[in-house]
Amino acid sequence: MFDILFIGLSLSSILLLVALGLAVTYGAMGIINMAHGEMVMLGAYVAVLANIWLGANLLLAIPLAFVVTGALGYAMERMVVRRLYGRLLDTLLATWGIAILLQQAIRLEFGLVFFGLHVEGLGAGLQNVPVPGFLQATLTVFGQELNTYRLFIVAVTVVLTVLTWHVLYRTALGMKVRAIIRNPQMAAACGIDVRQTNSITFALGSGLAGVAGVLMAGFRSVSPDMGATMVVDGFMVVVTGGVGSLLGTVAAAGILGEINALTAITFNEITGRAAVLLVVILVILLKPAGLFSFKGR
Amino acid sequence: MMKRRNFLTTVAMAGGALAAPGYLRIARAAEPLRVGALYSQTGGLSVVEKMLSSAVQLAASEINAAGGVLGRQIEVIVEDGASDPKTFAEKAQKLVISDKVETVFGCHTSASRKAVLPIFERRNAMLFYQTHYEGFECSRNVVYLGAVPNHQLSNYIPWIIETLGKKKFFIVGSNYVYPREMAKVSKSLIEAGGAEWVADEYLELGHSEWAVMVNKIKDSGADVVLSNVVGDSIISFYREFKNQGLSQDQIPICATVTSEIEIAAMGAEYAAGSYTSFPYFMSIDRPENLSFIERYRAFVNDPKAITYHSLEAAYFQVFLWKQAIEKAGDITADAIREGVRGQTFDAPGGPVKVDEDNLHTWVTPNIGQWQADGQSKIVSAYPEPVKPLPYSGYGETAENLFCTASGLDTTKL
């Protein structure tokens, strides 16, 4: 039983990893960021390229990916998203366009293929990242053999969640962000630089997605279209948990992951997936605002 | 009224002028012989299908350099199926109806083949299909060059039971027709060999989360895994398998789809010690194969390019097609169908032969064990090519054929 719960925990942490960045951009800023999956994908490519060109292992790729995708998110907010606040459907369409651009940029190696150049690690094919030796194989805890890499993912997710919580609830930036979530106009009237804060928040969300990408690269193949399916799971978690609530996102990821593992082990994988979607539908029907939602005024 | 008559005459003349080159074309023998190559050049499947497309073009260029077919040069019209069965059907229609080609080399997934099949049957054109597939098809308009389940399994399962000494199979696959048909054939072979199967499980196509499944394998008491998993999922499967502490020495994964391509994409250390059953491996040590690899690498201008089983079949199918036309002396679909029966060719991996009855291909089953360098070591090679039996899962045997030259005998199903 303990090993099943651990697998559920590991599924949860992967869901949370992707959803954490979304909880910040979608939850806090109200932007349906369809390019979030592509930020995860770019994070994974940072790990691939860092390994090939710098000889850096997975651990070193984590801060690197955070910086790269964070900077990209910052640029994206400055150039596109900033002009679309309050236009929910337009942000959806615009960020989806950016998602396709990013996918093609990797596939066409930033256009270098047209000049007959090939950068190892880019292109339409599958890539892989070697996992450092000490993260392979298993670790025995309470007489149970646990997958070390999954333990590592759980640990990183916990650290990132605590950090995100700290930023949102214990720093001046976080206070501004929360003020903007509640009421952007009022926050601006109180002297908060809404534009600047939004740029930084978006960069933070994108950076978190980049880190998720590096960790994903360790146990699956890396390809330009890997992000598309993940963004769906991410939104599922954020919406179930309640938009704007970090606690809700954490709880939803935990519940959905465990339900997935328990149903999959009792029945099979296909039912496991179906059970998760069923729970999401029920939650949205019964509690449209999600499991944890703050009261608006 | 004069105007109207003028108009009609002009139209008639213009029509005649347009039609004329068409009639003239037949008279000119040196006119290139046009064939279609229908593979995904874009989309998720493009990585693999572009390789197949290159292999067809390599074969065509070699035939052209040696003088062509019946003195005519081959002109390959490449169309993009865009990884989408509907687009495959549209492009097949374009090739067969607008371009009027008699032969198309193409399709990779069963979904795309099923989508184009009605077009080839209605218009009576020939499709050359190189990928190994689940069988259960008997079209007079398709020549099947890949392995069918009896090639991949009827030698493999007894070998696993007897040579590896395994008794409890865990069957796992992606959730669609190929793995399910393969599982059906495997089960009867496992039971016939005196072993048992403890589970038959499926995962969504493209799924990459294997934690639960690998845990089930661990707890099932199985001593061997038979994998019919396809695509990206293969990579996360082998990685999870190793990361949960399972070893290929104790519970080997015996696969039917995992090829050189997936091994390279997952990192060779994860697959080292596991097995795959295929007619062709890149490591087959024949001068013909070494030369083929060299020519393919030069053709695609990549000194590290990988070859694998469907790629080899994509290449040799063009030669069988050429021989069929030369034997029949004509390029029509009917001539090719009759001409290709019984044609043999010394392919890079070994001799192959198109079956007289069912237009499938005789190939030699081989079992390879993956090594740390990403290549396979052939651990069991069948002495000769085996007759293809596309309905073996339904009781077809060499003495009792379901699919014959006259079509499928539906009473036997």
Side-chain angles (χ1 to χ4, degrees), chain A residues 3-4 7 10-11 14 107 120 124-131 135-138 145-150 217-221 223 225 260-270 273, chain B residues 43-44 46-47 50 175 180 201-204 206-213 215-216 218-219 231-232 235-237 239-240 242-246 261-267 269-270 304:
Chain A
D3 52 340
I4 306 303
I7 286 173
S10 145
L11 297 185
I14 289 161
R107 209 169 267 143
E120 202 182 332
L126 301 175
Q127 306 291 341
N128 74 79
V129 183
V131 176
L135 290 177
Q136 289 184 19
T138 55
E145 282 198 329
L146 300 181
N147 179 340
T148 321
Y149 190 66
R150 286 184 182 272
F219 73 102
R220 54 171 294 173
S221 60
S223 65
D225 42 15
N260 192 348
L262 288 172
T263 345
I265 204 85
T266 345
F267 303 100
N268 60 49
E269 289 283 346
I270 317 260
R273 183 80 185 155
Chain B
S46 64
V47 181
K50 267 185 183 167
N175 193 20
R180 285 189 180 267
E201 295 265 357
Y202 297 90
L203 215 73
E204 268 176 86
H207 199 73
S208 61
E209 181 52 75
W210 282 90
V212 176
M213 189 70 87
N215 193 274
K216 273 188 185 173
K218 228 172 168 177
D219 294 343
D232 267 22
I235 290 134
S236 28
F237 176 37
R239 285 197 160 205
E240 183 72 31
K242 182 167 188 221
N243 287 342
Q244 283 208 17
L246 291 169
I261 296 181
E262 286 84 14
I263 302 290
M266 75 177 76
E269 77 265 28
Y270 291 95
K304 282 193 254 170

Side-chain angles (χ1 to χ4, degrees), chain A residues 97-147:
Chain A
I98 294 172
I100 295 170
L101 280 176
L102 291 175
Q103 274 184 32
Q104 293 300 340
I106 294 292
R107 209 169 267 143
L108 302 174
E109 305 174 22
F110 301 106
L112 289 175
V113 275
F114 298 122
F115 304 103
L117 297 168
H118 173 65
V119 181
E120 202 182 332
L122 294 176
L126 301 175
Q127 306 291 341
N128 74 79
V129 183
V131 176
F134 66 95
L135 290 177
Q136 289 184 19
T138 55
L139 200 74
T140 311
V141 181
F142 302 127
Q144 285 288 341
E145 282 198 329
L146 300 181
N147 179 340

